[in-house]
């Protein structure tokens, strides 16, 4: 059954944010399998092994931050083609522009607006474009 599900890898170091995302997917995206990694390094390993359809990447990670992790994803044979949605508490226009320039498919700010987030994830999983509004 899990083989038929679309997979989303969420890379986040904050356990509360991880729990919130788990709940959000269970309630609003029940037909999507949520995979979780606590660091950029683990996220890179899981992305190669699990081959997700979408990666949601926190920018403010310890160790490899979101931008460094994104650079590595763009160099991977499989992962360079996977859309990556940035998620961050940084909400300045310059932050959003930096994410766009780095190659992210979209940018969502924390706190998450559930409807916007859900629609963005669904759109990216369907092959559409992401949102860089930040909200």
């Amino acid at each position: 059954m899990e083989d038929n599900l679309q997979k989303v890898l969420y890379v986040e170091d904050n356990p509360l944010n991880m729990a919130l995302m788990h709940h959000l997917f269970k309630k609003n995206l029940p037909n999507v399998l949520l995979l979780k990694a606590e660091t950029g390094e683990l996220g890179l390993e899981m992305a190669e092994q699990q081959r997700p359809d979408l990666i949601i990447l926190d920018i403010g990670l310890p160790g490899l931050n979101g931008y460094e992790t994104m650079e590595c994803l763009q160099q991977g044979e499989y992962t360079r083609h996977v859309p990556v949605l940035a998620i961050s508490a940084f909400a300045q226009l310059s932050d959003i522009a930096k994410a766009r320039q780095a190659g992210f498919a979209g940018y969502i700010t924390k706190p998450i607006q559930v409807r916007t987030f859900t629609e963005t994830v669904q759109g990216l999983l369907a092959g559409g474009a992401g949102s860089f509004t930040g909200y």
Side-chain angles (χ1 to χ4, degrees):
M1 181 173 145
E2 286 186 5
D3 290 340
N4 297 331
L5 296 177
Q6 287 186 294
K7 294 185 267 187
V8 173
L9 173 60
Y10 181 42
V11 185
E12 169 66 67
D13 64 311
N14 183 308
L16 292 176
N17 290 340
M18 190 70 79
L20 172 67
M21 191 66 68
H22 175 79
H23 176 74
L24 197 151
F25 267 75
K26 188 175 180 181
K27 182 176 180 185
N28 298 311
L29 298 158
N31 296 322
V32 177
L33 178 63
L34 181 65
L35 307 168
K36 304 170 202 166
E38 296 82 24
T39 66
E41 294 85 352
L42 182 57
L44 290 170
E45 287 179 35
M46 288 186 69
E48 285 292 334
Q49 294 170 359
Q50 298 293 321
R51 301 200 174 203
D53 300 291
L54 173 66
I55 298 169
I56 301 171
L57 182 57
D58 181 36
I59 295 295
L61 294 169
L64 280 180
N65 70 33
Y67 290 107
E68 294 165 330
T69 302
M70 180 62 172
E71 280 184 43
C72 294
L73 289 168
Q74 290 172 325
Q75 295 171 14
E77 184 177 338
Y78 170 74
T79 56
R80 75 177 68 136
H81 303 292
V82 178
V84 182
L85 177 62
I87 189 166
S88 180
F90 304 120
Q92 299 295 316
L93 289 177
S94 60
D95 299 313
I96 297 167
K98 183 178 178 182
R100 181 189 302 262
Q101 186 175 21
F104 284 92
Y107 192 93
I108 297 287
T109 58
K110 297 175 187 176
I112 294 171
Q113 301 294 320
V114 174
R115 176 180 281 157
T116 301
F117 175 80
T118 302
E119 289 172 356
T120 300
V121 168
Q122 289 171 330
L124 288 169
L125 287 172
S131 170
F132 283 91
T133 62
Y135 299 99

